[in-house]
Amino acid sequence: MDTLDDIETRYHWQLMRRAIERLDAGRDLTLDQIAEEIGLSPAHFQRIFSRWAGVSPKRFQQYLTLGHAKRMLAARATLLDTADEVGLSGTSRLHDLFLRWEAMSPGDYAKKGAGLTIRYAYADGPFGRMLAMATDRGLAGLGFCGEIGDSTAFEDLRTRWPMAEYVHDASALAPHFAALDQGGEPRLHLMGGPFQIKVWEALLRIPDGHVTTYSEIARAIGHPKAHRAVGTAVGRNPISWLIPCHRALRQSGELGGYHWGLPVKRALLADEAARTGF
């Protein structure tokens, strides 16, 4: 049974999602107009939004713009090949959580999950409804359902390991969701090919509040001409948010695509910008 906190979190996210859609539409809306559209008084809307984002709605709108993405890329792009040297990788709150992870062996990966039991469950998070999957070794999948629906999100992750057995088990996933919510140490079990793993490792080295490009990732992993293949591997990242594929932008500063929907990508980047003060 949902707790009052669960219900409040879900309710607030739905309000914020609607507000972000209005802000992201690029219209010159006043605070009163946004509040009226989502059915709140201006003061109540300002209070809830500022508590969720840490900044005002108008400030958050600045973080959602293409212009901000371009400024962010120019000012806070991460040079992945030197990130460890200058200590950038240690500044990411999420990166610090994932010192414990392992990749599936190439042989196991080739089996497409045969003989593997993957447990899954849904929960509401700060960016909407989420689907998580885990093996006995750790969290293996994490996706957002808000833009595509529960069943589509499930099928999307399930096709990564089509031969596995899938079991709905909320109790098994509860510790993983709790770790995400409380800043614990979820263990990751990455299931991908060698090239994909290299790309995901590079993503893990991008600090909170920083971004990079597909071309830079390609150079960092020793395949400077493989930016298209990098883009494909970024899109196949099975553990969204935690392996921060949302921090990969086009060379122009445009957001590019996002597997779980551009509204989620914009919200993730804007939230990080708000938390890191950029």
Side-chain angles (χ1 to χ4, degrees), residues 75-257:
R76 301 191 76 172
T78 303
L79 298 174
L80 291 171
D81 53 353
T82 60
D84 291 330
E85 245 179 73
V86 298
L88 287 178
S89 60
T91 67
S92 169
R93 179 181 62 85
L94 287 175
H95 179 278
D96 290 343
L97 298 179
F98 305 125
L99 300 179
R100 298 193 307 154
W101 66 273
E102 62 178 290
M104 177 181 283
S105 70
D108 287 340
Y109 174 66
K111 295 177 183 177
K112 299 182 178 181
L116 194 65
T117 297
I118 297 180
R119 304 183 187 279
Y120 70 94
Y122 301 88
D124 292 298
F127 301 98
R129 189 163 171 82
M130 303 177 73
L131 165 64
M133 295 182 171
T135 69
D136 291 340
R137 296 185 182 181
L139 193 65
L142 188 66
F144 293 99
C145 310
E147 299 297 316
I148 60 177
D150 289 3
S151 60
T152 302
F154 175 81
E155 286 302 316
D156 184 288
L157 287 179
R158 189 192 68 80
T159 58
R160 317 297 179 95
W161 320 285
M163 303 304 293
E165 177 186 0
Y166 289 84
V167 178
H168 184 268
D169 190 343
S171 62
L173 272 298
H176 295 288
F177 283 124
L180 295 174
D181 186 52
Q182 299 168 13
E185 290 190 5
R187 185 181 182 91
L188 304 186
H189 187 195
L190 302 185
M191 297 191 282
F195 183 84
Q196 291 174 323
I197 295 293
K198 284 185 178 181
V199 171
W200 301 340
E201 284 180 316
L203 290 172
L204 280 169
R205 293 168 57 197
I206 305 171
D208 236 4
H210 289 70
V211 293
T212 191
T213 65
Y214 303 114
S215 296
E216 187 177 291
I217 293 172
R219 290 194 298 271
I221 65 173
H223 297 273
K225 297 182 179 180
H227 56 92
R228 291 186 182 275
V230 164
T232 300
V234 168
R236 293 292 290 174
N237 166 28
I239 303 178
S240 59
W241 186 23
L242 307 183
I243 298 178
C245 51
H246 59 277
R247 297 177 190 163
L249 308 181
R250 291 177 179 168
Q251 194 72 38
S252 64
E254 294 178 300
L255 295 184

